[in-house]
Amino acid sequence: MKVYYLPSNNESGLNIETIDRSVMEKFNSDDYRYMHLALDDARSAKGRTTPNPAVGAVVVVKNRIVGRGATAEWGGPHAEKCALKEAGARARGATMYVTLEPCPHFGKTPPCTDAIIAAGIKRVVVAVRDPNPLVAGKGISQLRRHGIVVSTGLLRNEAAAVNEDFFWAITRQRAYITLKLALTLDGRIADSTGASKWITAPALRRIVHDLRRTHAAVAVGSGTLAADDPRLTVRCGRKANPARIVFSSVEAVPPQSYFYQHAWETRSIAVIRQKTERRITTDTASGIEFWYTGSDDPALSMAAFTEIAFSQNITSVLVEGGQKIASVLLEAGLVNRIYLFYGNRILGNGTDGILTTSGFPVANCITLRERETRLAGDDFYITGIPVFPAR
């Protein structure tokens, strides 16, 4: 599995050591096996738990699994409580493996630490500490005060990768932005007539749907909405669709668009770049929310959007273009992770995927770290965390 670290966006930034300064403890092969299962459960929950992190938990007695759980939808039980419910009385004296530090505070549900203590769990193995200021080591401390042995750091990089968006959002108080572009080998997102379907083959498009599944919202610009009329839906692996977002400088949303006609199916948002007060209104006829960012400057408006989104419990956004939105985000340094999907095609002309106002010199341009490249039939993709040039 590829290990990702947290994005820095040209700051010193978060890293795993910042989240969990614990000394790496010794673990046996069984510990690794059970934590891998907990991570599998966490990944399966990814996308449905927002704005909460996706967590997995496994309860084990004498090398026998007696309970497993993953975080439910927001407002539902956390992974620890799901696993404890399945274990029942068998949890007394057991070991719990959990991918993220148990919460010690009241939120939509009571503290998980209280449930663990009441169940009689003897040992808790935590993959990574929670950077949420409401938790941040307090859960581990509470468990230890009640005589529970707590071991930390097992597969912490893998656990941090599952929730890299949550870690960013909760510590920066703004939404995590993933930028995705489908490009030809010569960097075009459409041909000279504006046609863009289909640059990539179905194998890569299935990966895009999985990305949509794991984000709280999917977004495009008004130009893409007008040209492609995208559905922005998940057609595999998730019952409910993420929120849909369109970026625009005007309030009008084409009434014939899929976005407008199906706004009732999921949260639908038009982000308006205008020099007016920052506010949110809802159109009662369509159900579309209008978020006014308070600025007509593209970069400042987009930065304001990330703050508004976080305040509205949208902690991660997959932006699927087009050119203007992608370029603004990159030029403003607001992208946390980028996916470039390349179709095995050369057009020679058409619409460039990225076209910033001034560009960057070779010696001081955007680069990617923690890169992963994967082939899918004749196509391929590359993903990584942008490192932005010094300003």
Side-chain angles (χ1 to χ4, degrees), residues 294-306:
S295 176
D296 57 3
D297 178 84
L300 293 178
S301 177
M302 199 61 73
F305 159 73
T306 65

Side-chain angles (χ1 to χ4, degrees), residues 179-189 196 198-205 207-208 330 338-347 351-354 368 372-384:
L179 175 63
K180 166 259 169 183
L181 289 171
L183 304 156
T184 61
L185 295 177
D186 54 343
R188 316 288 184 177
I189 59 173
S196 60
W198 292 98
I199 286 175
T200 57
L204 282 188
R205 298 203 292 273
I207 296 172
V208 172
L330 286 170
I338 189 168
Y339 282 84
L340 301 176
F341 292 82
Y342 285 96
N344 187 21
R345 304 167 189 271
I346 296 174
L347 299 181
T351 305
D352 292 319
I354 299 169
L368 297 182
E372 178 187 1
T373 303
R374 183 175 299 176
L375 292 171
D378 288 336
D379 300 341
F380 69 96
Y381 77 80
I382 182 169
T383 181

Side-chain angles (χ1 to χ4, degrees), residues 1 43 50 94 124 129 144-145 164 176 228 241 254-255 278 290-291 306-307 320 323-324 336 347 352 377 387:
M1 174 185 171
R43 294 186 191 102
T50 185
V124 177
R129 298 191 187 205
R144 285 174 173 161
R145 285 198 305 270
E164 66 176 359
Y176 179 100
D228 297 339
N241 287 308
R278 188 184 293 190
F290 288 84
W291 294 5
T306 65
E307 297 172 356
E320 297 195 19
Q323 180 201 81
K324 290 181 180 179
N336 298 95
L347 299 181
D352 292 319
V387 178

Side-chain angles (χ1 to χ4, degrees), residues 20 22-25 27 126-127 129 140 144 150-154:
D20 186 357
S22 61
V23 176
M24 182 61 70
E25 303 181 43
F27 300 100
V126 176
R129 298 191 187 205
I140 290 171
R144 285 174 173 161
V150 181
S151 304
T152 63
L154 177 60

Side-chain angles (χ1 to χ4, degrees), residues 168-252:
W168 173 269
I170 200 67
T171 54
R172 297 298 203 276
Q173 301 288 292
R174 65 176 192 252
Y176 179 100
I177 302 297
T178 301
L179 175 63
K180 166 259 169 183
L181 289 171
L183 304 156
T184 61
L185 295 177
D186 54 343
R188 316 288 184 177
I189 59 173
D191 65 19
S192 58
T193 70
S196 60
K197 293 183 178 180
W198 292 98
I199 286 175
T200 57
L204 282 188
R205 298 203 292 273
R206 284 192 291 270
I207 296 172
V208 172
H209 281 282
D210 196 53
L211 282 176
R212 291 180 181 178
R213 177 185 65 82
T214 58
H215 284 75
V218 183
V220 295
S222 57
T224 299
L225 185 73
D228 297 339
D229 194 21
R231 295 187 178 188
L232 306 179
T233 55
V234 176
R235 294 189 277 280
C236 59
R238 179 171 171 174
K239 293 181 180 179
N241 287 308
R244 300 186 191 113
I245 296 173
V246 59
F247 297 105
S248 180
S249 59
V250 297
E251 289 103 335

Side-chain angles (χ1 to χ4, degrees), residues 261-274:
Q261 294 291 329
H262 295 262
W264 56 270
E265 291 178 351
T266 191
R267 194 172 184 183
S268 299
I269 302 157
V271 179
I272 309 302
R273 173 171 54 86
Q274 285 186 0

